[in-house]
Amino acid sequence: MSVKNLNVAKLSENFYTRGDVTEIALELLGKYIITNIQGVITSGMIVETEAYSGRNDRACHANNGNRTRRTEVMFEQGGKVYVYLCYGIHNLFNVTTNIEGFADAVLIRAVEPVEGIEWMLERRKMKEVKPNLTAGPGLLTQALGISREHYGESLLGKTIWLENRNKIINKVDVVAAKRIGVEYAKEDALYPWRFFIKNNKWVSRIKIK
DNA sequence: CTAACGATTCGCT
DNA sequence: GCGAATCGTTAGT
């Protein structure tokens, strides 16, 4: 048995194929995302997520069977990478969940930098470590080197994956709030499906309107 | 083919 | 706090 890996486990298929996307979004807090982009390894601890349901959720791109080239991957079995371009500028990273035909996903909104911080600084063209390195959905993808090239890849592979490193997040330190920037979803925008770690400085700064 | 619109971020005030 | 940036996706002609 490898001692070094005793407390580290890549999240497996049965983590992603479960049916309760809000529960998964909550459980992803404190998990780690690791990328190996052409041999460059960077990682971060997830501190903010949002759940999107393929059924009865007008905020979800794949809502109620809206199957298009962009949303196709969400209809596959969970455990895949869904990256899309937002506002013509930013790549947003989601992990797909649920079984084939059920198009659920979790948007990763913020991570706390862990490994490869020098590479993250370079990718973000920054000189010092501060929250806008990775505290936002369009920022962490830059820092971790994730883009639409990775659309559809398996999270069980060797490029992008998640790990459980036995970090415990106490439920009392988690906040559930409504999701950001989805007002077009009408009443569905009010669901408390955004989860973040209370008082964590790596949670995204949200725009006040 | 055309046009409207983002699951956001940054710089300037 | 406010508005610009910027382009793929989508739905409609």
Side-chain angles (χ1 to χ4, degrees):
Chain A
M1 177 192 286
S2 161
V3 172
K4 152 170 95 87
N5 290 326
L6 208 53
N7 296 320
V8 175
K10 181 184 285 194
L11 297 188
S12 57
E13 186 162 64
N14 60 19
F15 179 90
Y16 299 106
T17 54
R18 291 174 297 153
D20 189 339
V21 68
T22 57
E23 176 68 19
I24 296 174
L26 174 63
E27 289 181 24
L28 282 174
L29 297 177
K31 301 296 189 292
Y32 291 75
I33 172 171
I34 297 90
T35 61
N36 181 342
I37 309 295
Q38 294 170 349
V40 175
I41 294 182
T42 51
S43 70
M45 188 187 78
I46 297 168
V47 298
E48 180 180 358
T49 62
E50 278 177 0
Y52 288 85
S53 170
R55 292 149 322 281
N56 304 314
D57 177 12
R58 282 167 286 184
C60 180
H61 294 153
N63 186 40
N64 294 346
N66 184 30
R67 197 165 190 146
T68 65
R69 189 150 80 229
R70 182 177 65 157
T71 64
E72 183 61 31
V73 71
M74 299 175 79
F75 289 87
E76 296 177 22
Q77 174 162 272
K80 304 270 174 47
V81 173
Y82 171 44
V83 181
Y84 73 96
L85 184 68
C86 185
Y87 291 101
I89 306 171
H90 304 290
N91 288 285
L92 269 56
F93 170 76
N94 298 251
V95 306
T96 68
T97 70
N98 215 328
I99 57 174
E100 187 177 353
F102 291 77
D104 299 346
V106 177
L107 170 68
I108 307 302
R109 287 193 54 89
V111 305
E112 176 174 326
V114 177
E115 292 159 291
I117 290 174
E118 291 304 315
W119 286 99
M120 297 195 212
L121 287 167
E122 183 173 320
R123 287 171 176 151
R124 292 276 299 119
K125 300 182 173 27
M126 291 170 57
K127 294 215 162 69
E128 57 180 296
V129 176
K130 51 185 180 179
N132 70 342
L133 184 61
T134 57
L139 305 181
L140 70 93
T141 52
Q142 273 183 47
L144 295 170
I146 298 171
S147 70
R148 295 195 308 293
E149 295 164 34
H150 303 106
Y151 177 96
E153 284 186 11
S154 171
L155 289 165
L156 310 176
K158 293 178 158 48
T159 308
I160 304 172
W161 67 94
L162 305 189
E163 287 181 2
N164 179 357
R165 296 184 177 179
N166 292 342
K167 170 81 175 178
I168 307 290
I169 305 297
N170 196 317
K171 289 252 162 95
V172 303
D173 292 321
V174 173
V175 180
K178 67 179 183 183
R179 296 170 293 180
I180 305 301
V182 295
E183 290 74 21
Y184 58 86
K186 310 208 172 142
E187 306 89 71
D188 300 347
L190 301 176
Y191 298 149
W193 288 358
R194 170 178 176 240
F195 302 95
F196 61 93
I197 298 177
K198 198 182 293 183
N199 299 326
N200 184 295
K201 73 171 185 176
W202 296 98
V203 170
S204 68
R205 277 72 188 135
I206 62 175
K207 191 168 186 170
I208 304 148
K209 306 194 299 191

